[in-house]
Amino acid sequence: FFLTTPHTTQNMHTASLKQFSSIAKSSAQKLLPGNAHIHRSYIANPRMARTPSFESSLKPSPIRMHEPRISTYPIQDKSKLPLHNPERVHEAALKKMEATQFAEGHQFVPQMANSNLPQWLHTPQSFVYDLKSGEKVDLIDLDPFYFRVEPRKDVLQRAIVWQLASRRRGTKKTKSRFEVKYSSKKLQRQKGSGKARHGDRGAPIMVGGGRAHPIQPKDWSTKLNKKERYLALRMALTLKFRRNELYVVNDLTVDAQKTNATANLLHNNFGVNHESSALIVDGNLQVDPNFERTSWNLHFVDTLSYKGLNIYDLLHRQKFIITRGALEKMSLERMDGSVRNNGRKVMTRIG
């Protein structure tokens, strides 16, 4: 190798860097005349020439382009393709793959955990049950706005903390020494009595006196953006759907106005009992009076109108039973607060 020749080792300590570079260059041209592809930095820089990987670097290595993991599936109906790519695929890589193989009739999507089909082809569906018999009577499509959102623990946690903090009354209060009902007169003279020094009777050191640092009314509520609150509720609905804890019923009408009959009905048809509680949501502004009256004493059942649906009650109970009318009204009004009424936009709110 040209670095170990006597000529180079003899002049290594005496010659300057510029002279050594010229020596190394001339030696390389003598010993390796055919390697014209050697980069000039390996000859001009002695440190790079002394590296063990210099010899291996003489061989040109193939260029490896980064290609993302992408799975393909044949297109059955090209008219059903979305206008925009629903998955987060690298744009340059996607265009490259489409340009080379799209003519063969393939659409490229990232590999999914549960299916080879993209997420936009999955429409959430649910059976409709009869409340009295528990039989499946229909199959409906759920609104992807509510039931196809990727849940996040941090968003759910912030929403629950916000709700629990906002419902605290914060009215606790204790009296200070100036608020207790005692005279503000000094009990005894400052000196000459032989006793400890005291002020008025309401001092914190006295029994029955005011507190030194009294508790005052406090607002415990925190700030959470409206979009994040609505997003958390949508995530909770999606979570119930993915865990198979969502039950859609026709209505909440019951025949017998007995608590025992309603408890047996919920237990036999939906498995609701002391160990598996449920949140039941009606599509009317007022829950059916007979059902609300019969389920009032069931501590494992909560009844709400779709207007009062919230994330804490939704996650606090194991099962979620909602009427078909409530789903239709939620899809109509959405959580952005807008609903169309005879061509006029009316503001409302859910959650």
Side-chain angles (χ1 to χ4, degrees):
F1 199 73
F2 70 90
L3 289 179
T4 58
T5 57
H7 184 66
T8 57
T9 54
Q10 181 180 1
N11 297 278
M12 180 147 334
H13 300 287
T14 59
S16 61
L17 180 62
K18 184 176 181 180
Q19 294 174 348
F20 176 75
S21 300
S22 61
I23 294 173
K25 184 175 181 180
S26 61
S27 301
Q29 292 176 355
K30 293 178 181 179
L31 298 177
L32 303 172
N35 293 316
H37 63 272
I38 300 178
H39 197 272
R40 59 179 179 272
S41 61
Y42 289 99
I43 299 178
N45 192 349
R47 293 186 178 181
M48 296 183 65
R50 288 198 300 268
T51 55
S53 60
F54 175 73
E55 186 176 356
S56 61
S57 64
L58 299 178
K59 301 178 182 179
S61 59
I63 300 177
R64 298 181 180 179
M65 302 298 294
H66 174 68
E67 296 183 358
R69 295 175 134 189
I70 295 180
S71 61
T72 64
Y73 69 96
I75 298 177
Q76 302 297 336
D77 188 1
K78 294 186 178 181
S79 62
K80 294 183 178 180
L81 291 178
L83 298 179
H84 302 283
N85 181 27
E87 308 292 346
R88 296 181 179 178
V89 185
H90 194 272
E91 185 177 0
L94 182 63
K95 289 182 179 180
K96 178 182 176 181
M97 301 293 286
E98 287 182 347
T100 54
Q101 298 187 17
F102 186 76
E104 301 178 1
H106 290 78
Q107 170 72 13
F108 300 91
V109 296
Q111 294 180 355
M112 300 176 63
N114 300 327
S115 175
N116 293 327
L117 296 179
Q119 191 176 12
W120 52 270
L121 285 181
H122 292 279
T123 302
Q125 295 179 335
S126 176
F127 288 104
V128 180
Y129 297 88
D130 185 20
L131 181 65
K132 301 176 183 178
S133 62
E135 298 179 354
K136 302 175 182 178
V137 296
D138 197 2
L139 179 65
I140 61 173
D141 294 338
L142 302 177
D143 190 356
F145 180 78
Y146 292 105
F147 298 96
R148 202 176 64 189
V149 184
E150 191 65 28
R152 286 176 49 184
K153 291 183 179 180
D154 58 332
V155 177
L156 297 175
Q157 186 267 348
R158 285 195 296 268
I160 292 178
V161 170
W162 167 82
Q163 182 175 346
L164 295 181
S166 299
R167 77 178 188 179
R168 295 185 65 174
R169 299 179 64 90
T171 56
K172 185 177 181 181
K173 183 183 182 304
T174 55
K175 293 182 179 182
S176 65
R177 63 181 299 173
F178 306 104
E179 295 173 336
V180 293
K181 193 175 181 180
Y182 288 111
S183 175
S184 59
K185 180 182 177 181
K186 187 174 176 64
L187 294 178
Q188 59 195 22
R189 58 181 182 174
Q190 182 76 1
K191 293 178 176 292
S193 63
K195 299 180 182 179
R197 296 168 291 186
H198 289 293
D200 61 299
R201 178 66 179 81
I205 199 173
M206 295 294 181
V207 177
R211 289 182 61 95
H213 302 284
I215 301 175
Q216 299 295 333
K218 180 180 178 180
D219 183 15
W220 292 92
S221 62
T222 58
K223 183 182 181 300
L224 188 66
N225 294 336
K226 186 186 298 183
K227 290 184 179 180
E228 191 171 2
R229 301 202 311 258
Y230 294 163
L231 178 62
L233 186 54
R234 292 166 54 198
M235 289 180 178
L237 291 171
T238 304
L239 202 59
K240 288 295 181 182
F241 171 72
R242 291 186 179 183
R243 292 179 176 178
N244 296 325
E245 298 174 350
L246 173 67
Y247 297 91
V248 183
V249 296
N250 278 330
D251 49 27
L252 297 179
T253 57
V254 291
D255 296 334
Q257 298 184 12
K258 295 291 184 180
T259 301
N260 191 18
T262 303
N264 293 334
L265 184 145
L266 295 176
H267 175 68
N268 297 331
N269 298 336
F270 305 103
V272 179
N273 49 30
H274 297 273
E275 299 178 355
S276 180
S277 58
L279 173 66
I280 303 177
V281 177
D282 195 5
N284 301 322
L285 295 179
Q286 183 66 29
V287 184
D288 185 75
N290 293 335
F291 186 84
E292 186 178 16
R293 190 180 301 111
T294 55
S295 61
W296 187 268
N297 288 334
L298 300 178
H299 65 88
F300 50 86
V301 173
D302 289 337
T303 56
L304 288 175
S305 172
Y306 79 100
K307 288 285 188 180
L309 185 60
N310 59 86
I311 181 175
Y312 176 75
D313 291 334
L314 191 59
L315 297 180
H316 181 64
R317 300 299 185 179
Q318 281 75 20
K319 297 184 179 180
F320 178 49
I321 302 175
I322 187 172
T323 60
R324 189 172 186 174
L327 289 177
E328 295 175 354
K329 291 184 178 180
M330 288 172 59
S331 299
L332 175 65
E333 298 180 6
R334 290 292 177 90
M335 286 185 180
D336 55 358
S338 63
V339 56
R340 293 290 177 177
N341 186 9
N342 297 329
R344 182 171 58 91
K345 189 173 181 180
V346 182
M347 299 306 296
T348 181
R349 187 178 69 176
I350 300 176

